[in-house]
C-alpha cells in the first residue's frame, strides 16, 4: 500500500494509522523513502524492548545535513532557510538562503576538522539564539561529531557536569548572549565550568555581545578568525550509519543526575520531518516560527532539523517575548509573514497578563496554524491563544512529546483531526500509545487515568542514555515490560483522544522546563545548614507549576532571609536560576513512611493549600508532623507571596 508522506484528510489519517499498526515495516519503509540515503537499509526495524535496542533502517547510510541542505539546492537554493530576528528591534534581520547555509556549514565543519574534531567526538555548544548555533549543530552533524547543546540558562556547575559526562573535546560558545535587557556572560560561565573539567578541550568563541572576556590563547579561538583561515571549501561530509549517534541532549529524570538522551541519525531524521509536515500541515513556502530555545529538544526538532529537512523557512529569535514590549512575537509574525507559530503555555500565560492592547498594532493575518508544547495548556490560555493570536481562524495543535521521543507523538494534525481545548488528541500514524495501571495492565475504558506508555517503537525513540545504557533500560523499559514508559499520566476521552495530565514521577515541569526533584534537593542539601529537604510542585498561574521546598535546618533559630537567599543561591549556582524554589518552608521533619520514603503527595497538597483531604496517613511513621507542617505553612511569614 502506498503511504503518503503528507496526510491531508481524515480518511488518509485513518488509513495510514491502520497500516502503521498492522504493517509498520511497510509504513516506515515508505516514509523513509522520501529522504536521501547513500545506501538503502536492509531491514526497516530490528528491536528488543527488554534490552532497549532499537535499530531503525539497518545498514542505511546517510548524512542528515545532506537532507537538511544539499537536497534543496538543485531547485530551491535561493529559498530562505533561516531568518534571524535579533534581540534589538532596530537591528536588521538576517536572511540565510539554503545556498548560503550550505557554504557556512561546510566552512565551519572545516574549522571543526582543523581543530581536531572527528567523527564520534563530542562537541558541547552553549550559545545564545543566533544563526551560528544552528550552523555549529549542522557542522558537527556534517562530519559525524556528536553535538550536545547546553541550554544558556544553566550554571557553570551544570555545564561542567555535562562536559564530564559527555567527555567533551570541544566547546563552542559566544562571548555573551542578549536576552531582552540582559547580557548573559556565556564565556565567563564557561571559564568557570572549565575549572571543574580536567580534560584537554578547545573553545571556539563567537563574538556577539562584544562583552569583555578572558581570552586564553592556549585553548580559546575566535570563531571569525578560524573561519577566515578556511580558503577552500572542500566538503568534509562524512557518511554515517543510520544508527550512528547524532546528538546528546541532557534532560532531568527522577534521580539527581541528568541523563544524556542520545538520538541516532536515520530514525531521528525520518521522524522529525514526518511529524513536522503532518502535525503542522507544513506546505512548501511556509514560514515557521518556533519560540523555543535550541538548547531544548523543541528547538532541535522544530527550529533546526524538522523545518530544514522539509526545506522550510525557520525563524530563530534571539530575544524574549516581552521585550521591549509584550507585542514582540506579534511584530515578528507580521514582519516575516509567519504561517506557523509554535510556543509554550507558559509564554502564553505570561503574555495574557499584559492585556489585549498588545494586539492593537498587529494583524497576524499570515498565520495558518498555531501550536503549543511543553506542558498541559489550560482552557483559559487555550482560548486566549486561539481567539487573539489565531483570530479563531487557525487550528491550535496541542502537541505532546518528550526529549526522549525526539518528535511529536500525540497531537492533532492541524485542521484535519480536531480536539477540544486541553486535549492533545490522537497519536500520529506510527505511534501506539497505551495507558496502564499500577500493575501494568492496560486500561481500556474511557476517562480512567493511567500511566502513558508506547507499545511499539517509532523511528525517533531514544537510542540510549549516553555511556549508561542500563539507565535507559531501567528508566524507560523496565517499569512496564514490552513498553516505553513516558513518566506522564493521561486518560482517554470517549472520542479516542488523549488528555495528558502531566508527570507522575518525581519530575517537575516549571515553565515547560523539566526539573528532577532530586536534582534540586541535592543542590539545597549542599548548604551546610540544611539537614534534609523535599521539594514538590504546586500550581502557579504563569509557570504552570512552581517549586516549594520543605527544608530541615540544623540550627532552627538560624532561619533568616539570608539563609533563604543562600539556599536559593545553591540552586542557582548548581543548576541555574530557572530551578530556584518559589517558596522555602522551614519544617521540623518530613512526612515519611515506615520505610523512610517521603510522601510527596502530602507535601504537594499542603503546598497547594488543599489540606482538607490529605488521604490515608496510616502508613506514616509520625503523622503528627503533618499538622505541624500545615500550621507552619499557614503562618508562613518569610516567603514573599507578592510574586504570585
Ligand atoms: C510535558 C518537551 C502536556 C510532559 C517537548 C512531558 C506536555 C514533558 C506536553 C517532556 C503537552 C510536553 N501536554 N504535557 N502538549 N508536551 N509535556 O523532555 O510532562 O522537555 O513528559 O520535552 O513535558 O518535556 P521535554
Amino acid at each position: 500500500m502506498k503511504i503518503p508522506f503528507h496526510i491531508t484528510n481524515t480518511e488518509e489519517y485513518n488509513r495510514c494509522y491502520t497500516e502503521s499498526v498492522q504493517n509498520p515495516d511497510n509504513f516506515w519503509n515508505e516514509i523513509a523513502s522520501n529522504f536521501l540515503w547513500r545506501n538503502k537499509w536492509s531491514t526497516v526495524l530490528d528491536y528488543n524492548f527488554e534490552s532497549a535496542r532499537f535499530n531503525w533502517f539497518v545498514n542505511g547510510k546517510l548524512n542528515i545535513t545532506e537532507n537538511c541542505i544539499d537536497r534543496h539546492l538543485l531547485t530551491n537554493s535561493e529559498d530562505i532557510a533561516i531568518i534571524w530576528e535579533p534581540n534589538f528591534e532596530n537591528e536588521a534581520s538576517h536572511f540565510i538562503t539554503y545556498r548560503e547555509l550550505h557554504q557556512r556549514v561546510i566552512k565551519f565543519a572545516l574549522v571543526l576538522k582543523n581543530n581536531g574534531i572527528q567523527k564520534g567526538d563530542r562537541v558541547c555548544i552553549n550559545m545564545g539564539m543566533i544563526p551560528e548555533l544552528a550552523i555549529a549543530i549542522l557542522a558537527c552533524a556534517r562530519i559525524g561529531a556528536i553535538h550536545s547543546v547546553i541550554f544558556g540558562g544553566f550554571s557553570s556547575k551544570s555545564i561542567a557536569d555535562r562536559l564530564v559526562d559527555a567527555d567533551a573535546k570541544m566547546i563552542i560558545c559566544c562571548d555573551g548572549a542578549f536576552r531582552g535587557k540582559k547580557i548573559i556572560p556565556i564565556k565567563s560561565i564557561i571559564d568557570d565550568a572549565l575549572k571543574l573539567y580536567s580534560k584537554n578541550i578547545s573553545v571556539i568563541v563567537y563574538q556577539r555581545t562584544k562583552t569583555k572576556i578572558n581570552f586564553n590563547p592556549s585553548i580559546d579561538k575566535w570563531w571569525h578568525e578560524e573561519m577566515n583561515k578556511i580558503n577552500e571549501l572542500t566538503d568534509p561530509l562524512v557518511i554515517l550509519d543510520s544508527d550512528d549517534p547524532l546528538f546528546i541532549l541532557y534532560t532531568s529524570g527522577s534521580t539527581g543526575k541528568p541523563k544524556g538522551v542520545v538520538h541516532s541519525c536515520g530514525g531521528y531524521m525520518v521522524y522529525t520531518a514526518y511529524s513536522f509536515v503532518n502535525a503542522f500541515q507544513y506546505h512548501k513556502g511556509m514560514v515557521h516560527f518556533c519560540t523555543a530555545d535550541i538548547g531544548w529538544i523543541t528547538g532541535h526538532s522544530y527550529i533546526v532539523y524538522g523545518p530544514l529537512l522539509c526545506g522550510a523557512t525557520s525563524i530563530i529569535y534571539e530575544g524574549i517575548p516581552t521585550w521591549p514590549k509584550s507585542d514582540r512575537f506579534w511584530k515578528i509574525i507580521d514582519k516575516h509573514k509567519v504561517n506557523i507559530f509554535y510556543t509554550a503555555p507558559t509564554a502564553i500565560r505570561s503574555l495574557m497578563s499584559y492585556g489585549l492592547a498588545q494586539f492593537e498594532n498587529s494583524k497576524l493575518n499570515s498565520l495558518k496554524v498555531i501550536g503549543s508544547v511543553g506542558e498541559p495548556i489550560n482552557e483559559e490560555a487555550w482560548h486566549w491563544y486561539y481567539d487573539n493570536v489565531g483570530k479563531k481562524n487557525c487550528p491550535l495543535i496541542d502537541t505532546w512529546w518528550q526529549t526522549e521521543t525526539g518528535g511529536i507523538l500525540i497531537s492533532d494534525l492541524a485542521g484535519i483531526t480536531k480536539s477540544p481545548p486541553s486535549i492533545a488528541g490522537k497519536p500520529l500514524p506510527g505511534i501506539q500509545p497505551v495507558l496502564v495501571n499500577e500493575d501494568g495492565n492496560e486500561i481500556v475504558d474511557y476517562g480512567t487515568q493511567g500511566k502513558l506508555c508506547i507499545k511499539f517503537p517509532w523511528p525517533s525513540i531514544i537510542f540510549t542514555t549516553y555511556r549508561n545504557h542500563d539507565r535507559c533500560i531501567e528508566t524507560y523499559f523496565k517499569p512496564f515490560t514490552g513498553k516505553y514508559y513516558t513518566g506522564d499520566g493521561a486518560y482517554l476521552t470517549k472520542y479516542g483522544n488523549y488528555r495528558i495530565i502531566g508527570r507522575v514521577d518525581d519530575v517537575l515541569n516549571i515553565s515547560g522546563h523539566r526539573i528532577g526533584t532530586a536534582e534540586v534537593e541535592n543542590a539545597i542539601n549542599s548548604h551546610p545548614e540544611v539537614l534534609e529537604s523535599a521539594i514538590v510542585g504546586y500550581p502557579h498561574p504563569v509557570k504552570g507549576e512552581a517549586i516549594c521546598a520543605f527544608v530541615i535546618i540544623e540550627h532552627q533559630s538560624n532561619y533568616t532571609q539570608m539563609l533563604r537567599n543562600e539556599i536559593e543561591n545553591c540552586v542557582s549556582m548548581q543548576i541555574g536560576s530557572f530551578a530556584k524554589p518559589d517558596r522555602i518552608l522551614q519544617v521540623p521533619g518530613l512526612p515519611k513512611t515506615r520505610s523512610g520514603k517521603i510522601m510527596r503527595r502530602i507535601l504537594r497538597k499542603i503546598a497547594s493549600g488543599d489540606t482538607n483531604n490529605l488521604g490515608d496517613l496510616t502508613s506514616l511513621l509520625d503523622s503528627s508532623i503533618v499538622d505541624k507542617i500545615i500550621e507552619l505553612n499557614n503562618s508562613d511569614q518569610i516567603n514573599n507571596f507578592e510574586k504570585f
Side-chain angles (χ1 to χ4, degrees):
M1 172 183 162
K2 196 85 196 116
I3 303 293
F5 189 73
H6 187 160
I7 297 164
T8 52
N9 56 54
T10 23
E11 205 176 73
E12 252 174 22
Y13 168 81
N14 292 332
R15 192 163 61 82
C16 288
Y17 193 81
T18 308
E19 176 69 5
S20 78
V21 174
Q22 290 177 351
N23 197 353
D25 275 15
N26 178 54
F27 180 80
W28 290 115
N29 190 58
E30 294 264 324
I31 297 290
S33 309
N34 292 285
F35 296 84
L36 177 66
W37 296 82
R38 289 297 189 111
N39 189 41
K40 203 183 162 177
W41 52 94
S42 52
T43 307
V44 173
L45 168 65
D46 183 12
Y47 77 103
N48 179 301
F49 264 121
E50 279 65 49
S51 57
R53 190 178 56 73
F54 305 98
N55 298 109
W56 279 94
F57 312 114
V58 183
N59 295 322
K61 294 208 182 294
L62 77 156
N63 185 293
I64 194 170
T65 67
E66 275 199 306
N67 283 274
C68 286
I69 311 172
D70 305 45
R71 72 182 172 133
H72 308 309
L73 294 184
L74 268 182
T75 48
N76 301 318
S77 65
E78 298 313 308
D79 284 1
I80 306 294
I82 293 173
I83 298 178
W84 179 56
E85 181 63 26
N87 185 53
F88 304 100
E89 279 189 305
N90 57 4
E91 190 178 343
S93 318
H94 288 202
F95 299 86
I96 304 174
T97 64
Y98 276 93
R99 184 178 48 77
E100 287 160 345
L101 184 64
H102 185 243
Q103 288 171 2
R104 289 169 73 174
V105 168
I106 289 180
K107 202 166 181 183
F108 193 67
L110 289 166
V111 167
L112 295 176
K113 267 189 85 176
N114 280 354
N115 283 278
I117 298 300
Q118 295 176 349
K119 178 184 167 189
D121 288 342
R122 276 80 47 218
V123 175
C124 287
I125 306 177
N126 188 230
M127 300 172 103
M129 289 284 285
I130 52 178
E132 287 70 21
L133 168 52
I135 289 167
I137 287 176
L138 294 165
C140 288
R142 190 92 180 160
I143 59 169
I146 303 169
H147 58 79
S148 166
V149 183
I150 305 177
F151 170 58
F154 278 122
S155 66
S156 306
K157 166 83 171 53
S158 287
I159 294 173
D161 290 346
R162 285 156 177 76
L163 291 172
V164 172
D165 191 86
D167 193 17
K169 220 171 150 183
M170 176 186 272
I171 183 148
I172 305 168
C173 65
C174 40
D175 49 354
F178 291 120
R179 301 266 305 146
K181 276 191 287 203
K182 284 198 222 149
I183 296 180
I184 302 172
I186 301 254
K187 174 64 167 62
S188 113
I189 297 171
I190 298 290
D191 290 344
D192 287 341
L194 289 181
K195 290 179 192 146
L196 306 168
Y197 188 64
S198 53
K199 293 271 178 71
N200 279 342
I201 193 159
S202 49
V203 183
I204 297 195
V205 191
Y206 182 82
Q207 191 175 42
R208 166 62 183 141
T209 55
K210 305 222 160 68
T211 309
K212 204 171 159 348
I213 61 163
N214 269 329
F215 193 85
N216 172 357
S218 62
I219 57 166
D220 296 338
K221 307 230 163 114
W222 284 112
W223 173 298
H224 55 272
E225 287 181 5
E226 292 304 295
M227 286 291 251
N228 283 340
K229 288 183 195 161
I230 309 291
N231 297 318
E232 232 174 275
L233 287 187
T234 330
D235 191 352
L237 179 83
V238 174
I239 299 300
L240 301 167
D241 280 335
S242 176
D243 53 17
D244 273 333
L246 174 63
F247 66 82
I248 307 172
L249 192 57
Y250 285 88
T251 189
S252 286
S254 305
T255 66
K257 197 169 167 280
K259 297 182 279 260
V261 171
V262 177
H263 281 289
S264 60
C265 297
Y268 178 81
M269 169 179 81
V270 169
Y271 197 81
T272 46
Y274 160 81
S275 54
F276 175 70
V277 162
N278 286 298
F280 295 103
Q281 287 295 300
Y282 168 77
H283 289 276
K284 187 172 162 16
M286 278 182 155
V287 178
H288 172 75
F289 179 17
C290 165
T291 70
D293 193 289
I294 295 179
W296 306 112
I297 191 68
T298 308
H300 279 57
S301 301
Y302 300 113
I303 295 180
V304 183
Y305 286 113
L308 296 181
L309 282 164
C310 300
T313 299
S314 184
I315 295 190
I316 298 180
Y317 169 46
E318 186 180 33
I320 58 171
T322 50
W323 193 82
K325 285 207 307 242
S326 60
D327 59 0
R328 190 66 199 274
F329 280 167
W330 323 136
K331 281 188 163 166
I332 297 173
I333 291 172
D334 280 358
K335 180 172 177 189
H336 299 299
K337 311 231 170 333
V338 169
N339 307 116
I340 306 170
F341 180 64
Y342 192 31
T343 195
T346 185
I348 295 297
R349 288 191 299 260
S350 122
L351 290 167
M352 279 166 77
S353 65
Y354 289 83
L356 294 179
Q358 62 187 296
F359 294 106
E360 269 165 15
N361 297 317
S362 54
K363 292 200 176 72
L364 304 182
N365 55 359
S366 55
L367 285 177
K368 297 251 179 309
V369 174
I370 55 178
S372 164
V373 60
E375 53 180 310
I377 179 162
N378 50 306
E379 286 203 28
E380 201 190 345
W382 194 101
H383 284 294
W384 189 91
Y385 189 22
Y386 183 78
D387 292 357
N388 299 302
V389 182
K391 310 286 183 206
K392 301 185 181 170
N393 235 338
C394 302
L396 192 178
I397 54 169
D398 177 1
T399 64
W400 174 85
W401 58 296
Q402 310 178 296
T403 305
E404 296 84 343
T405 71
I408 298 167
L409 298 197
I410 299 180
S411 164
D412 283 337
L413 306 188
I416 295 180
T417 49
K418 293 180 187 132
S419 300
S422 79
I423 308 279
K426 294 196 189 340
L428 265 66
I431 306 304
Q432 300 185 34
V434 60
L435 298 174
V436 296
N437 63 20
E438 290 299 329
D439 306 325
N441 296 322
E442 290 193 15
I443 298 171
V444 285
D445 46 338
Y446 299 128
T448 307
Q449 189 179 326
K451 297 187 175 189
L452 179 63
C453 296
I454 316 288
K455 66 177 175 189
F456 194 81
W458 64 99
S460 59
I461 189 170
I462 181 172
F463 188 69
T464 185
T465 40
Y466 192 63
R467 293 204 303 185
N468 191 349
H469 192 65
D470 283 348
R471 191 162 175 205
C472 180
I473 300 176
E474 288 292 324
T475 316
Y476 307 106
F477 301 98
K478 263 269 175 69
F480 302 104
T481 310
K483 298 179 181 70
Y484 165 82
Y485 173 48
T486 65
D488 276 326
Y491 67 80
L492 207 51
T493 70
K494 69 174 176 194
Y495 301 105
N497 292 317
Y498 285 87
R499 177 174 183 155
I500 314 292
I501 309 295
R503 303 294 306 195
V504 287
D505 54 6
D506 289 336
V507 174
L508 306 179
N509 193 332
I510 313 293
S511 301
H513 298 322
R514 260 170 77 165
I515 305 174
T517 49
E519 258 177 274
V520 183
E521 286 162 8
N522 288 350
I524 294 177
N525 296 349
S526 72
H527 190 286
E529 274 292 316
V530 174
L531 288 178
E532 196 180 1
S533 65
I535 71 150
V536 293
Y538 65 98
H540 184 279
V542 175
K543 301 200 231 185
E545 221 176 355
I547 297 180
C548 181
F550 296 85
V551 293
I552 308 177
I553 308 288
E554 188 166 10
H555 303 96
Q556 294 202 11
S557 56
N558 281 354
Y559 190 65
T560 57
Q561 184 62 37
M562 201 167 84
L563 178 59
R564 185 195 147 84
N565 293 346
E566 283 173 16
I567 292 174
E568 281 187 359
N569 250 339
C570 288
V571 179
S572 303
M573 303 293 284
Q574 290 178 47
I575 305 175
S577 49
F578 63 93
K580 271 197 314 207
D582 299 84
R583 297 184 58 202
I584 300 176
L585 200 64
Q586 189 218 327
V587 292
L590 293 166
K592 287 191 178 171
T593 60
R594 288 187 177 80
S595 57
K597 207 169 173 305
I598 298 171
M599 279 182 90
R600 283 171 208 282
R601 169 177 72 74
I602 296 175
L603 295 177
R604 264 195 294 272
K605 286 218 155 190
I606 298 176
S608 43
D610 172 20
T611 48
N612 286 336
N613 180 13
L614 289 177
D616 183 10
L617 302 182
T618 49
S619 57
L620 283 182
L621 185 64
D622 170 14
S623 58
S624 70
I625 198 72
V626 175
D627 291 333
K628 287 186 199 141
I629 299 178
I630 293 175
E631 204 175 304
L632 283 163
N633 184 49
N634 293 344
S635 60
D636 178 23
Q637 298 291 319
I638 293 190
N639 286 293
N640 167 13
F641 285 101
E642 276 167 27
K643 302 193 240 200
F644 313 116

